[in-house]
Amino acid sequence: MKIYTKSGDKGQTSLVYGQRVSKHDLRVQAYGTCDEANSMIGLALSSLGQGKESLAIKQSFHAIQTKLFHVGAELATPSGKNVAWPIIEDDVRYIEELIDELDAKLPPLTTFILPGGHPSGAAFHVARTIVRRAERIVVSLLEKETANPVALAYLNRLSDLLFVTARYVNLQSGCAEAVLHQP
């Protein structure tokens, strides 16, 4: 099977179940942005070391990357059609548990911090901003069409987890957080 089909050469693509839409359709933008976030998470993970803490993060994020792929598949499914892998409240709770676990190991946040630090921590910050963009696109989509609102909650919580993970990776790597200087 060839990787290229030429079916998108005129600016359209297929959703799940074969419906053709413009490549700038909100659904395409939403699942495409989830794909971008997933790729950036992969980059962040590739910069982690091999220690016990790094391996635990990699394991957790393997499950999260799989669920993020499911979010994308759900967003690629037209309204009213069956979703192969729906995102459910338990998926959101899993992320909340990870946030609580990592946040308990961090110093309290007393000021705004600037993205950066260890290359993996910085990449987690970039992934967070991509997830926030996906979230904004899904909000726009939900204003026009139906989609699973739990997918939106999942993205919202995922961006929080990425922030906490960036902080945690920076702490574990010995990289001090850059704080926002007040004028």
Side-chain angles (χ1 to χ4, degrees):
M1 181 169 111
K2 291 185 178 187
I3 190 70
Y4 58 89
T5 63
K6 301 181 183 180
S7 64
D9 289 353
K10 294 187 178 165
Q12 291 205 325
T13 192
S14 294
L15 298 177
V16 175
Y17 295 104
Q19 179 184 342
R20 300 290 290 174
V21 296
S22 170
K23 288 186 176 186
H24 73 76
D25 185 89
L26 282 175
R27 284 194 179 277
V28 177
Q29 290 183 49
Y31 74 70
T33 307
C34 288
D35 188 35
E36 287 178 51
N38 216 337
S39 295
M40 184 54 71
I41 290 169
L43 180 64
L45 294 172
S46 73
S47 300
L48 285 175
Q50 296 300 315
K52 179 182 170 188
E53 296 294 325
S54 294
L55 292 176
I57 290 171
K58 287 177 182 181
Q59 284 182 321
S60 297
F61 272 94
H62 179 78
I64 289 165
Q65 284 187 285
T66 300
K67 288 296 179 179
L68 188 53
F69 185 85
H70 294 175
V71 170
E74 190 162 343
L75 294 169
T77 303
S79 297
K81 299 287 186 176
N82 288 334
V83 173
W85 307 298
I87 298 301
I88 60 175
E89 291 290 338
D90 283 348
D91 299 324
V92 176
R93 275 191 287 281
Y94 175 74
I95 291 180
E96 291 172 345
E97 290 169 6
L98 289 173
I99 292 169
D100 293 343
E101 180 184 324
L102 291 178
D103 198 43
K105 299 174 184 177
L106 292 171
L109 196 58
T110 59
T111 185
F112 288 105
I113 62 168
L114 298 173
H118 185 272
S120 182
F124 277 116
H125 276 297
V126 175
R128 171 185 56 80
T129 64
I130 296 169
V131 169
R132 286 287 189 210
R133 180 165 29 99
E135 186 181 4
R136 291 188 301 271
I137 295 168
V138 171
V139 168
S140 294
L141 175 66
L142 288 170
E143 290 173 354
K144 298 178 192 274
E145 298 183 43
T146 57
N148 181 0
V150 180
L152 178 62
Y154 187 87
L155 291 172
N156 185 285
R157 224 60 96 252
L158 178 55
S159 64
D160 294 335
L161 175 62
L162 291 165
F163 176 76
V164 170
T165 304
R167 292 190 68 217
Y168 182 75
V169 165
N170 285 338
L171 177 70
Q172 292 297 309
S173 303
C175 293
E177 294 178 318
V179 298
L180 180 69
H181 293 286
Q182 300 298 324

